[in-house]
Amino acid sequence: MPREWDAKTYDSLPLPHQQWGKRTLGRLSLKGGETVLDAGCGTGRDTAALLDLVPDGRVIGIDGSSRMLEQLRVKLADRLDRVEVVNADLTKPLPITGQVDAITSVATFHWITDHAALFDNLAQYLRPGGQFVAECGGRGNVALINAAVEEVLGATDEKQKVWYFAGVEETTERLRNAGFTDIEVSLLPDPARLEPGEQLWSYLATVVLGSHLDRLPEADHEDFVRSVAARLPEPVVDYVRLNITARRARP
Ligand SMILES: C[S@@+](CC[C@H](N)C(=O)[O-])C[C@H]1O[C@@H](n2cnc3c(N)ncnc32)[C@H](O)[C@@H]1O
């Protein structure tokens, strides 16, 4: 299963994910009775927004972190009758029945290194003609942070890489191979500025550097995060977002 997240701290941070979520859901065209799958739903911010978009429909929220899903259940406690909460790995067969009308995903796919397997898997759960709108870190994402991490830890072995930041061409081809059509993929630089000090450290530790921290002894965590932060030219996370819009091809 994917790694665990500190869900409460995550929700307390000024997340650019809120804008990414709005932008991504804004590309959906829904009538109100559909079933939508939120792939990597985390603590459920976009799951809640989707519930508003489908007042007569349902949302399936899937995530690999049980702590993120616990927080989602608390946040959506009074709306869970229309939400199926699923703790699963998006690259493996999903424990859901039938096909959904749309799949959406925010800030998740770059945590998954095998995008061909990811798209093949998700396509099976999307009805022919169904919409696929997603965003994640794309080519060039957090390059300055990666450079700072390398300065602190030394160069990372290819197999040890914790993220995959795909580009437009290979994503388009993988989507086509997985049976998608009407494919539009683009990259958008979208830097996020934070307050220097506690806010930056907390953001880096919770949102960006978690997988690196998982591999370090607890006693080294604070030093590591501060050393990375100190090497950044400004308190800015140099995000580059990969935006995807597609449909599952009809037979
Ligand atoms: C940065 S969070 C984004 C959460 C939410 N979409 C948002 O925008 O706030 C990334 C999420 O992807 C989930 N995730 C990463 N890899 C996954 C996988 N292979 N299967 C399921 N969930 C995964 C994590 O558990 C985490 O909740």
Side-chain angles (χ1 to χ4, degrees), residues 1-8 10 39-44 61-73 85-90 108 111 206 214:
M1 284 297 281
R3 60 178 295 273
E4 274 304 334
W5 285 63
D6 177 351
K8 290 213 172 85
Y10 183 84
C41 58
T43 61
I62 301 188
D63 202 279
S65 161
S66 53
R67 279 160 68 187
M68 289 298 233
L69 294 178
E70 253 166 54
Q71 178 87 346
L72 175 150
R73 284 195 189 89
V85 183
V86 181
N87 188 193
D89 183 340
L90 293 167
T108 296
W111 292 99
T206 309
D214 289 348

Side-chain angles (χ1 to χ4, degrees), residues 3 200-211 213 225:
R3 60 178 295 273
L200 176 66
W201 297 329
S202 177
Y203 189 93
L204 289 177
T206 309
V207 183
V208 187
L209 298 175
S211 290
L213 292 173
V225 171

Side-chain angles (χ1 to χ4, degrees), residues 15 23 39 105-106 108-109 112 129 157 159 188 192 216 231 239:
L15 295 169
R23 223 154 55 195
S105 182
V106 175
T108 296
F109 290 170
I112 295 169
D157 190 291
K159 286 194 200 111
L188 179 72
L216 292 172
R231 282 166 172 79
Y239 284 120

Side-chain angles (χ1 to χ4, degrees), residues 3 148-156 160 162 204-205 208-229:
R3 60 178 295 273
V149 168
E150 262 194 42
E151 264 189 52
V152 177
L153 293 181
T156 322
Q160 296 266 304
V162 295
L204 289 177
V208 187
L209 298 175
S211 290
H212 295 91
L213 292 173
D214 289 348
R215 295 173 184 176
L216 292 172
E218 183 105 32
D220 296 345
H221 285 193
E222 193 175 310
D223 256 13
F224 171 66
V225 171
R226 290 181 186 212
S227 304
V228 171

